[in-house]
């Protein structure tokens, strides 16, 4: 779906999320949401905060699982996705902190595999993700599933692509400070969500969006795996769609 601009598109995505939350709350159930970081979802989170403040949208019945976190990364570090999520969403709404899940970048190497398995099991025990939102990196990564990721991959420790580290350099005050690894939900984890929305805004994303939507399905561009799903929607603005 192509919207004229990112704000209109972000509001539409926020409305989808709000509708899931309201439907689940009415039924007395929890909404289980897969969330993303990066610049892309910020306007969606802004709109959710507005809906909370102005239209009484409550997050009391919401459980969240974030896609990824840098490794190593202290949860309180400025560049951590934990801080990002608190800044851009969680500290502004009435979500119970116990219902927030973000991969732990401060674990010792030996503890990562167990943590990742438990992350998957927690999602499954809740009946799976109702919705997973995604941005897209210029390597075609979703979450931090870089080129080479397998379609059935689960939550795991991965190495970041050089292009991804270049793109993050600004946030870290230089590429040398960008962690070389991350913990990410897998392609298989993402695929299990009942609904998937990939968002992309701006001309900078146009070339990779074209590959993701129209390119050959390949591990070289992990977002192309989404072509195999019948429950995915690409929500983009005209600028990102300009090469399609
Ligand atoms: C990071 C995140 C991805 C995100 C991507 C694009 O690599 N791990 O989940 O989609 O960046 O970021 P942005 O939305 O800032 O363009």
């Amino acid at each position: 779906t192509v919207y004229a601009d990112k704000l209109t598109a972000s509001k539409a995505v926020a409305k989808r999320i709000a509708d899931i939350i309201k439907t689940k709350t009415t039924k007395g159930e929890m909404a289980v949401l897969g969330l993303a970081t990066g610049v892309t979802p910020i306007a969606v989170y802004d709109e959710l905060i507005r809906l909370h403040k102005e239209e009484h949208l409550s997050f009391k019945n919401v459980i969240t699982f974030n896609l990824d976190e840098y490794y190593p990364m202290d949860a309180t570090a400025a560049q951590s996705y934990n801080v990002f999520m608190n800044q851009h969403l969680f500290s502004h709404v009435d979500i119970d902190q116990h219902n927030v899940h973000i991969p732990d970048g401060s674990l010792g190497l030996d503890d990562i595999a167990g943590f990742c398995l438990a992350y998957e099991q927690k999602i499954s025990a809740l009946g799976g993700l109702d919705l997973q939102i995604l941005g897209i990196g210029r390597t075609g990564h979703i979450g931090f599933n870089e080129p080479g990721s397998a379609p059935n991959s689960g939550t795991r420790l991965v190495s970041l692509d050089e292009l991804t580290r270049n793109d993050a350099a600004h946030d870290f005050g230089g590429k040398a400070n960008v962690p070389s690894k991350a913990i990410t939900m897998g392609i298989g984890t993402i695929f299990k969500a009942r609904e998937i929305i990939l968002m992309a805004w701006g001309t900078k994303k146009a070339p990779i969006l074209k590959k993701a939507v129209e390119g050959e399905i390949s591990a070289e561009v992990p977002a192309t795996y989404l072509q195999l799903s019948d429950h995915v929607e690409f929500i983009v603005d005209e600028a990102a769609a300009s090469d399609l």
Side-chain angles (χ1 to χ4, degrees):
T1 310
V2 181
Y3 286 86
D5 57 78
K6 123 178 168 177
L7 217 61
T8 321
S10 298
K11 285 188 176 175
V13 175
K15 183 171 183 317
R16 294 270 196 97
I17 296 173
D19 286 346
I20 292 174
I21 296 174
K22 286 183 211 160
T23 306
K24 288 281 182 166
T25 304
T26 309
K27 289 188 195 163
E29 294 172 8
M30 300 300 281
V32 188
L33 303 177
L35 300 182
T37 48
V39 175
T40 306
I42 290 179
V44 175
Y45 298 149
D46 286 347
E47 175 65 4
L48 286 173
I49 294 166
R50 193 195 66 78
L51 290 172
H52 170 67
K53 296 205 162 136
E54 295 176 15
E55 299 185 21
H56 310 293
L57 177 70
S58 172
F59 287 72
K60 286 232 184 313
N61 283 41
V62 176
I63 301 186
T64 64
F65 288 86
N66 260 79
L67 277 171
D68 49 16
E69 177 61 283
Y70 289 104
Y71 184 86
M73 179 57 68
D74 194 282
T76 59
Q79 300 90 352
S80 80
Y81 284 165
N82 182 60
V83 167
F84 176 98
M85 288 308 300
N86 279 321
Q87 246 169 24
H88 290 285
L89 182 62
F90 298 144
S91 67
H92 305 279
V93 297
D94 59 346
I95 194 161
D96 181 340
Q97 274 301 321
H98 294 106
N99 290 333
V100 167
H101 304 86
I102 300 177
D104 183 353
S106 71
L107 293 169
L109 269 177
D110 291 348
D111 296 325
I112 294 178
F115 175 88
C116 291
L117 192 65
Y119 207 72
E120 296 273 340
Q121 285 168 345
K122 271 186 205 160
I123 297 173
S124 301
L126 290 161
L129 298 167
D130 292 307
L131 168 71
Q132 176 66 57
I133 60 167
L134 301 171
I136 182 168
R138 286 200 300 146
T139 59
H141 70 225
I142 48 178
F144 268 134
N145 290 282
E146 295 283 22
S149 296
N152 61 351
S153 49
T155 303
R156 68 203 187 288
L157 183 69
V158 294
S159 292
L160 295 179
D161 203 90
E162 286 309 298
L163 179 57
T164 302
R165 294 186 65 234
N166 282 333
D167 283 350
H170 178 73
D171 294 339
F172 284 85
K175 188 178 168 189
N177 302 326
V178 181
S180 60
K181 295 188 183 298
I183 298 174
T184 185
M185 277 187 199
I187 304 282
T189 326
I190 293 167
F191 255 73
K192 282 187 222 151
R194 274 183 283 286
E195 196 182 339
I196 302 168
I197 294 177
L198 183 144
M199 301 173 283
W201 329 128
T203 47
K204 217 175 125 188
K205 295 289 170 81
I208 193 61
L209 186 72
K210 182 180 173 64
K211 281 191 191 168
V213 176
E214 297 175 356
E216 192 186 323
I217 298 169
S218 134
E220 284 316 297
V221 183
T224 58
Y225 290 135
L226 295 172
Q227 294 176 28
L228 297 166
S229 170
D230 57 5
H231 51 276
V232 63
E233 185 175 358
F234 289 78
I235 295 188
V236 303
D237 65 0
E238 275 173 11
S242 55
D243 285 359
L244 298 179

